[in-house]
């Protein structure tokens, strides 16, 4: 019988007769040999299929619409390039993500730029690149843009509002409630909209809202549509992102069709039929297409059994920051029977460096490969150098071939900025 964890891996996952996990025709022991561990492994075909699923679900039902990938979920140029090749735009939230998007070959007109604290430098890059939409979050954004946009040029903007929608997600990823650092309440938004409409260099295109991230119920996301409509009639309504992704056996996020259906039902009720709709999937776009491959470095059987791997919070902060639950399997021993309850911990000098607790595994041994599925979102994004950790590579696999689209950091890289 197939291991139940395969349902959490990309569609290209399978198990060889000897019990070794494979992905898109590549054995994980070969990946570990060729690229080392830890490594973030992406099933390129699954990533592309997800992009097409989102694109088709939206545009076949609301032709004047576009999907823009929220790059912050996985800001690798290669990932952005896949989205561009599949017909999506890109949402960026900083200068680095914007420059990466341009390197990926996106049409600047399909870039949406976010941020509650955009710097003058970032806005200058956006204006000079002639990006499609800057989402203004406050009056300071408008002040800077009016100084940066040259004569004869008009920058299109959206205004981000607080939709006053509560969401059932971790407090650190709630964004739609009153008191959020993002956006403006309706009263403040109306004042800023009037100012932009009078600006000679800014084009007030529409409004934007975001409720939060890792939200399983699409009704919570669709609830932001009516507050957007209440601000007036505009050419563009950006409905944000936020659909949850599956991490564990118990997670049951809405499907893309269910999510888009809920948004469009609200749009049909509240918005002009000819308006352009934008959605910004991030986590749910990329999370299921990737997993992280580790090597077990120590096994300590004492008051509890600790299985320690060669990564941890240096390549995955989700568990520590958001209490995110993961599952995992010994990737070279998929046929072995579970034998013990363990805690999977990382190598970093922090008690909070725990990847999975608890977890049922076969009796682990030093040198075993451990695979953690559903790590496509916010792992590469938040990777760091704590304890002198070298950030891992990102490896694309497809049709039995593997290639590093981001190499592992070297020891020299760690000191490249030292004076």
């Amino acid at each position: 019988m197939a291991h139940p964890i395969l349902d959490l891996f990309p569609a290209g996952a399978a198990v060889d007769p000897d019990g070794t996990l494979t992905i898109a025709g590549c054995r994980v022991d070969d990946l570990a040999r060729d690229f080392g561990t830890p490594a973030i492994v992406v099933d390129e075909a699954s990533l592309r299929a997800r992009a097409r699923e989102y694109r088709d679900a939206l545009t076949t039902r609301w032709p004047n619409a576009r999907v823009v990938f929220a790059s912050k979920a996985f800001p690798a140029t290669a990932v952005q390039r896949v989205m561009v090749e599949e017909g999506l735009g890109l949402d960026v939230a900083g200068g680095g993500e914007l420059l990466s998007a341009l390197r990926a070959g996106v049409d600047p007109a399909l870039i949406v730029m976010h941020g509650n604290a955009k710097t003058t430098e970032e806005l200058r890059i956006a204006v000079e690149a002639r990006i499609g939409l800057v989402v203004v979050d406050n009056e300071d954004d408008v002040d800077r843009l009016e100084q940066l946009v040259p004569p004869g040029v008009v920058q299109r903007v959206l205004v981000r509002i607080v939709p006053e929608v509560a969401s059932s997600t971790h407090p650190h990823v709630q964004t739609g409630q009153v008191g959020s650092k993002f956006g403006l309440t309706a009263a403040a938004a109306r004042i800023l909209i009037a100012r932009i409409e009078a600006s000679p260099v800014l084009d007030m295109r529409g409004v934007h809202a975001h409720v939060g991230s890792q939200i399983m119920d699409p009704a919570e996301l669709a609830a932001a549509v009516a507050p957007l409509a209440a601000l007036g009639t505009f050419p563009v309504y950006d409905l944000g992102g936020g659909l949850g992704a599956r991490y564990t056996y118990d997670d049951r996020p809405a499907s893309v069709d269910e999510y888009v259906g809920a948004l469009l039902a609200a749009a049909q009720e509240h918005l002009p039929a000819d308006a352009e709709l934008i959605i910004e999937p991030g986590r749910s776009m990329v999370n299921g297409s990737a997993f992280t491959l580790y090597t077990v470095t120590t096994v300590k059987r004492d008051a509890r059994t600790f299985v320690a791997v060669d990564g941890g919070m240096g390549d995955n902060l989700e568990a520590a920051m958001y209490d995110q639950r993961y599952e995992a399997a010994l990737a070279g021993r998929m046929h072995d029977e579970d034998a013990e309850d363990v805690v999977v911990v990382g190598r970093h000098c922090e008690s909070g460096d725990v990847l999975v607790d608890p977890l049922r595994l076969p009796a682990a041994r030093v040198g075993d490969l451990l695979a953690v599925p559903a790590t496509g979102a916010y792992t590469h994004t938040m990777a760091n150098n704590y304890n002198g950790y070298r950030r891992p590579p990102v490896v694309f696999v497809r049709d039995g071939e593997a290639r590093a689209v981001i190499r592992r950091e070297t020891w020299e890289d760690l000191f490249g900025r030292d004076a």
Side-chain angles (χ1 to χ4, degrees), residues 63 115 117 142 158 161 179 243 259 263 270 291 316 352 365 372 385 397:
V142 175
L158 305 178
I161 73 158
L243 178 63
Y259 164 62
L263 291 183
H270 297 289
F291 68 96
N316 189 338
R365 301 185 291 260
V372 179
N385 297 124
V397 293

Side-chain angles (χ1 to χ4, degrees), residues 132-218:
L133 291 166
V134 174
V135 181
V136 298
D137 184 271
N138 47 63
E139 289 190 17
D140 294 327
D141 282 352
V142 175
D143 290 342
R144 293 189 179 100
L145 284 171
E146 288 186 328
Q147 294 170 2
L148 291 169
V149 177
V153 175
V154 175
Q155 175 63 57
R156 293 183 168 190
V157 301
L158 305 178
V159 172
R160 179 161 181 168
I161 73 158
V162 177
E164 301 188 25
V165 176
S167 57
S168 54
T169 189
H170 193 283
H172 290 176
V173 289
Q174 292 175 344
T175 57
Q177 75 283 5
V178 174
S180 170
K181 77 170 187 176
F182 300 103
L184 297 168
T185 59
R190 288 190 176 94
I191 294 171
L192 192 60
I193 288 169
R195 175 182 168 183
I196 294 169
E197 288 176 335
S199 174
V201 296
L202 301 181
D203 180 5
M204 178 62 206
R205 298 298 294 170
V207 285
H208 168 276
H210 195 277
V211 173
S213 184
Q214 189 56 9
I215 295 172
M216 301 297 189
D217 182 0

Side-chain angles (χ1 to χ4, degrees), residues 3-45:
H3 197 300
I5 202 170
L6 286 179
D7 288 343
L8 299 176
F9 281 91
V15 178
D16 271 1
D18 68 355
T20 300
L21 177 70
T22 69
I23 185 75
C26 297
R27 287 171 58 98
V28 293
D29 51 356
D30 291 337
L31 296 175
R33 181 197 64 219
D34 294 342
F35 301 100
T37 62
I40 300 170
V41 181
V42 178
D43 182 343
E44 183 180 351

Side-chain angles (χ1 to χ4, degrees), residues 13 63 96 100 125 133 182 210 212 221 266-267 320 370 374 387 393 401 409 411:
S100 178
I125 294 170
L133 291 166
F182 300 103
H210 195 277
L221 301 166
L370 184 124
N387 296 142
E401 300 291 332
E409 283 186 315
W411 297 119

Side-chain angles (χ1 to χ4, degrees), residues 95 98 113 117-128 140-141 143-149:
L98 173 53
M113 184 178 189
K118 305 177 193 71
T119 67
T120 300
E121 179 187 22
E122 288 170 332
L123 287 172
R124 181 179 292 111
I125 294 170
V127 169
E128 290 177 353
D140 294 327
D141 282 352
D143 290 342
R144 293 189 179 100
L145 284 171
E146 288 186 328
Q147 294 170 2
L148 291 169
V149 177

Side-chain angles (χ1 to χ4, degrees), residues 144-414:
R144 293 189 179 100
L145 284 171
E146 288 186 328
Q147 294 170 2
L148 291 169
V149 177
V153 175
V154 175
Q155 175 63 57
R156 293 183 168 190
V157 301
L158 305 178
V159 172
R160 179 161 181 168
I161 73 158
V162 177
E164 301 188 25
V165 176
S167 57
S168 54
T169 189
H170 193 283
H172 290 176
V173 289
Q174 292 175 344
T175 57
Q177 75 283 5
V178 174
S180 170
K181 77 170 187 176
F182 300 103
L184 297 168
T185 59
R190 288 190 176 94
I191 294 171
L192 192 60
I193 288 169
R195 175 182 168 183
I196 294 169
E197 288 176 335
S199 174
V201 296
L202 301 181
D203 180 5
M204 178 62 206
R205 298 298 294 170
V207 285
H208 168 276
H210 195 277
V211 173
S213 184
Q214 189 56 9
I215 295 172
M216 301 297 189
D217 182 0
E220 295 180 7
L221 301 166
V225 175
L228 288 174
L231 286 167
T233 300
F234 302 101
V236 179
Y237 295 87
D238 189 329
L239 309 184
L243 178 63
R246 191 179 183 205
Y247 287 82
T248 73
Y249 299 123
D250 296 333
D251 286 341
R252 293 291 181 269
S255 68
V256 170
D257 275 341
E258 291 168 336
Y259 164 62
V260 170
L263 291 183
L264 294 186
Q268 289 164 354
E269 180 179 358
H270 297 289
L271 301 181
D274 60 348
E276 179 183 12
L277 301 186
I278 298 174
I279 63 171
E280 302 170 348
R283 184 188 306 271
S284 63
M285 178 73 80
V286 296
N287 201 54
S289 68
F291 68 96
T292 305
L293 185 64
Y294 300 99
T295 298
V296 174
T297 57
T298 62
V299 180
K300 181 166 55 178
R301 294 181 173 90
D302 197 346
R304 301 189 73 184
T305 297
F306 292 97
V307 175
V309 296
D310 53 354
M313 63 191 303
D315 55 78
N316 189 338
L317 278 174
E318 289 267 287
M321 289 183 66
Y322 309 129
D323 303 313
Q324 181 57 60
R325 165 74 192 186
Y326 288 88
E327 310 291 351
L330 296 182
R333 301 168 55 194
M334 299 290 287
H335 293 331
D336 287 13
E337 293 292 330
D338 290 342
E340 57 185 356
D341 293 321
V342 307
V343 184
V344 178
V345 298
R347 62 165 307 280
H348 301 279
C349 195
E350 291 286 339
S351 294
D353 185 21
V354 176
L355 285 170
V356 192
D357 180 17
L359 182 68
R360 190 79 176 159
L361 282 182
R365 301 185 291 260
V366 171
D368 279 338
L369 295 175
L370 184 124
V372 179
T375 61
Y378 298 101
T379 51
H380 170 72
T381 302
M382 295 190 283
N384 59 83
N385 297 124
Y386 186 42
N387 296 142
Y389 183 67
R390 294 175 297 167
R391 288 176 291 186
V394 175
V395 178
F396 272 28
V397 293
R398 185 172 186 178
D399 298 330
E401 300 291 332
R403 61 190 176 98
V405 298
I406 295 179
R407 64 167 173 81
R408 184 183 309 281
E409 283 186 315
T410 65
W411 297 119
E412 289 75 17
D413 289 332
L414 292 182

